[in-house]
Amino acid sequence: MYVRQLSVTDWRNYHQAQLTLDPGAVVLIGANGQGKTNLVEAIGYVATLGSHRVAGDAPLVRAGADRAVVRTAVVRAGRELQIELEVTPGKANRARVNRAPATRVRDVLGILRTVLFAPEDLALVKGDPGERRRFLDELLVLRHPRYAGVRADYDRVLKQRNALLKTAGSARRAGAAGDLRTLDVWDGHLAEAGAALLAGRLELLAALRPYVVAAYDVLAGGGQTELTYDASVSELDPEADRATIGEALRRELEMVRAQEVERGITLVGPHRDELQLRIGALPARGYASHGESWSLALALKLASYDLLSSDGDEPVLLLDDVFAELDITRRARLAERATAAEQAIITAAVEADVPSSVQGQRYEVAAGEVRQL
Amino acid sequence: MYEGPVQDVIDELGRLPGVGPKGAQRIAFFLLAADSTDVGRLIAALQRVKDDVAFCKTCGNVAEGEQCRICRDPRRGDDVLCVVEEPKDIVAIERTNEFRGRYHVLGGAISPIEGIGPDQLRVRELMVRLQDATVTELILATNPNLEGEATATYLARLVKPMGLNVTRLASGLPVGGDLDYADEVTLGRAFEGRRRVDS
């Protein structure tokens, strides 16, 4: 699929801008702070209803305006769909698909698929385990929307169970018995929701792994990378089905119960797991060089792109300011990948950052104005 | 901020569920402009609801007097007991006209976040009612959300030794709806709970 048209009104630093995009590579060039990333962010917003840079909607609206509007025309399997989003901070956003109002804004999800790589993604390798769990979970939801419900369920059970453990724990420290009568029930629900999420992650990882290994090999020109799922449940068979994982979770919860009551938190479950990344024999986090970390983070994103493409529609590849961070060989290899995509939207500060092999449209972005070169 | 009494009314109204600051202000000015007999009727109605209406000693439903209308009704069966979270759930089930047994209102669902455990609900009263073995079926009609499910599971385990027939309301597709309008969770549940079609 590809984005044929993008138009923004009162979005970030833009009063109004409109771009007609071709399939293949599209390069947005401009100095820092001119609004390149804002356009990439707008496309990402249509795909995910969220920004990769901020949590709330307020910064997305131009200072002084009440609401922002993003319109896109997406071509999917030869058919064009128009998606219009109206972003009003503090109020419900509105969506239109082919000019008809959508009943729920969420209905827009899944029409446009994107894989975005931005400098922030370095946290995938260097950041806390939470970053890697979020990466897995978000990709999981993108492939199978029902996991959005599973994730929400798990978070809710976890909060309830932690609240119970916390109250019981402080009651015990004060010398009382502490009410743990309902803990078995929460164990059951936690194991059930946790097993569903875990099974989903394991299946995803099995599908993703070969793509990551291949992408890293290409980018770094050799070099072994390895992904393992470190579960907080001991002796977890990665091939196990949901019921077996549920049983294992329940057993483990029983084993750590005394410790959990003492500390007042849930110690076992997918929220404590880690996606372990290795380069060669060493863990990437803490050991990999800056360049290696970049290549690995990029490999994870390119692998997502490949996996989603293998499911059906090719997503749109968004590369925000990445070329400048890579050496010449890696730039050339990434350029090869980008030009092979049905559409890749690339931002760069100067033309020279982008390898000359990347042909296609060029736009110049300056102070919230866009001009085709 | 308004002058004393007006602000007091706005603050009090703002504490009600479902009323925000803007709504509270609107109601307050409506009352200020309204006829004093209308306001008097509202005050009297509020006073009466606190003075005369209490909770049924048996089931916990709202009642005028010791027992509610349903617990007093001799035509209803004593063998089936339906457990609900709130009195408003009874009203919803009564509208169906399908259920002729009795009710038991818990007064909420188990939710440690809000500090609600079995002791904050009318669970002990339920156990007392089940003692004498007149009830043979217990219907768990708590809400189909996480807290409701947890409450149902807890109660089912608690009454297991009593050998009752414990049932849970089905979850699934709304009647008269279209399949493609159902969300994934509901449709998934409906698949799990599918039934054989007798022909």
Side-chain angles (χ1 to χ4, degrees), chain A residues 24-38:
Chain A
V26 176
V27 185
L28 308 172
I29 297 161
N32 292 333
Q34 302 302 306
K36 306 180 298 285
T37 300
N38 297 345

Side-chain angles (χ1 to χ4, degrees), chain B residues 86-100:
Chain B
E86 305 285 351
K88 64 181 166 60
D89 301 329
I90 295 187
V91 178
I93 298 174
E94 282 300 288
R95 270 203 302 266
T96 67
N97 247 327
E98 293 293 330
F99 180 61
R100 301 302 294 162

Side-chain angles (χ1 to χ4, degrees), chain A residues 37-351:
Chain A
T37 300
N38 297 345
L39 293 175
V40 169
E41 187 181 34
I43 296 174
Y45 195 90
V46 174
T48 61
L49 295 178
S51 155
H52 67 287
R53 294 195 288 177
V54 285
D57 283 344
L60 303 178
V61 179
R62 187 177 59 80
D66 299 332
R67 62 203 168 101
V69 180
V70 181
R71 283 187 200 88
T72 53
V74 178
V75 179
R76 235 178 99 168
R79 275 167 42 88
E80 183 166 305
L81 276 156
Q82 289 177 353
I83 313 168
E84 182 183 318
L85 282 175
E86 199 181 287
V87 182
T88 318
K91 286 201 187 148
N93 293 345
R94 275 196 292 218
R96 282 162 178 272
V97 178
N98 283 343
R99 301 220 167 76
T103 20
R104 294 174 305 175
V105 179
R106 278 174 40 96
D107 291 346
V108 168
L109 287 173
I111 298 181
L112 171 64
R113 282 183 168 197
T114 57
V115 170
L116 173 106
F117 185 77
E120 286 86 349
D121 287 320
L122 197 55
L124 279 178
V125 178
K126 294 195 165 184
D128 295 332
E131 301 279 350
R132 287 175 287 281
R133 288 194 294 265
R134 198 156 53 97
F135 165 72
L136 283 181
D137 290 348
E138 280 173 2
L139 186 56
L140 192 57
V141 173
L142 210 53
R143 288 185 82 204
H144 306 288
R146 80 181 174 87
Y147 277 100
V150 173
R151 255 180 108 184
D153 279 354
Y154 183 76
D155 288 346
R156 182 95 188 140
V157 187
L158 188 64
K159 277 203 187 111
Q160 289 284 16
R161 194 172 182 274
N162 281 344
L164 182 71
L165 287 169
K166 206 172 161 197
T167 339
S170 42
R172 288 209 170 171
R173 278 190 292 281
D179 185 2
L180 288 172
R181 280 172 296 165
T182 60
L183 189 56
D184 279 334
V185 173
W186 295 114
D187 281 7
H189 284 276
L190 189 87
E192 202 179 308
L197 185 58
L198 247 168
R201 281 189 194 166
L202 290 173
E203 196 199 322
L204 170 69
L205 191 58
L208 186 68
R209 189 179 282 118
Y211 290 114
V212 179
V213 171
Y216 186 82
D217 185 46
V218 168
L219 276 174
Q224 275 288 312
T225 180
E226 212 181 283
L227 288 80
T228 41
Y229 190 82
D230 278 357
S232 51
V233 189
S234 46
E235 293 161 37
L236 181 72
D237 174 10
E239 311 263 293
D241 63 351
R242 241 171 80 174
T244 324
I245 299 173
E247 278 307 309
L249 267 168
R250 216 164 306 198
R251 271 198 309 275
E252 195 89 8
L253 284 170
E254 254 166 59
M255 271 156 50
V256 296
R257 183 173 275 198
Q259 236 181 311
E260 287 192 326
V261 175
E262 197 184 312
R263 296 180 52 185
I265 48 163
T266 301
L267 294 172
V268 181
H271 68 291
R272 305 273 294 188
D273 296 353
E274 160 75 304
L275 170 64
Q276 190 75 246
L277 306 172
R278 283 169 189 281
I279 297 172
L282 295 171
R285 190 186 180 203
Y287 290 88
S289 73
H290 191 67
E292 284 175 324
S293 300
W294 264 98
S295 303
L296 186 51
L298 190 51
L300 286 170
K301 283 298 172 101
L302 291 175
S304 312
Y305 177 87
D306 293 335
L307 182 64
L308 291 171
S309 304
S310 77
D311 288 342
D313 266 335
E314 246 186 76
V316 174
L317 187 60
L318 306 173
L319 298 173
D320 185 18
D321 227 353
V322 278
F323 281 104
E325 296 282 342
L326 300 172
D327 61 34
I328 305 236
T329 21
R330 287 179 198 199
R331 273 187 205 185
R333 290 186 178 126
L334 180 60
E336 228 167 89
R337 289 293 311 255
T339 44
E342 189 175 349
Q343 188 176 47
I345 299 171
I346 298 159
T347 73
V350 285
E351 172 80 50

Side-chain angles (χ1 to χ4, degrees), chain B residues 156-196:
Chain B
R157 287 188 191 176
L158 201 62
V159 302
K160 203 173 180 199
M162 297 176 154
L164 289 167
N165 190 8
V166 181
T167 54
R168 176 98 178 99
L169 289 191
S171 303
L173 298 171
V175 175
D178 285 346
L179 262 193
D180 60 346
Y181 277 105
D183 65 285
E184 304 88 3
V185 179
T186 308
L187 199 52
R189 287 275 195 92
F191 258 93
E192 275 170 20
R194 66 188 183 274
R195 292 181 307 186
R196 174 188 294 280

